[in-house]
Amino acid sequence: PMSTNRQNIYAFTEPTGSYPGYVSVNAEADGSISVTVRGPAVEGREGPTASISLTAAQADAMADAIFDHTIAAEMRREATGGTDA
């Protein structure tokens, strides 16, 4: 078996179906971050899969945007006493 020196950072798989959708984020040996997604099954077959390679800076920008979005939403709920999800 060939060693790729890939390290999984995050993975999520839908808890349903024989070909569930998933997302996988990995740190690659060359310092890049790969993101692979598969959509849910289509007509009983594996859904479409796509992969992209990001530089560390691009991955950091994406992570910051997601973090800012989720933290900002939580801060708005706390500030307004709202319960919106």
Side-chain angles (χ1 to χ4, degrees):
M2 188 170 84
S3 173
T4 62
N5 294 321
R6 172 183 284 176
Q7 178 185 4
N8 182 260
I9 297 169
Y10 177 79
F12 172 78
T13 302
E14 292 179 324
T16 182
S18 53
Y19 294 106
Y22 70 82
V23 61
S24 179
V25 180
N26 297 284
E28 302 296 339
D30 66 1
S32 67
I33 303 294
S34 65
V35 180
T36 303
V37 296
R38 179 174 74 191
V42 177
E43 298 176 359
R45 295 191 199 106
E46 183 176 342
T49 301
S51 207
I52 190 169
S53 181
L54 304 173
T55 65
Q58 291 165 332
D60 284 347
M62 182 177 73
D64 286 347
I66 293 168
F67 182 80
D68 289 348
H69 174 78
T70 57
I71 293 300
E74 179 63 25
M75 290 174 68
R76 281 193 299 277
R77 282 192 293 276
E78 289 176 1
T80 62
T83 57
D84 58 313

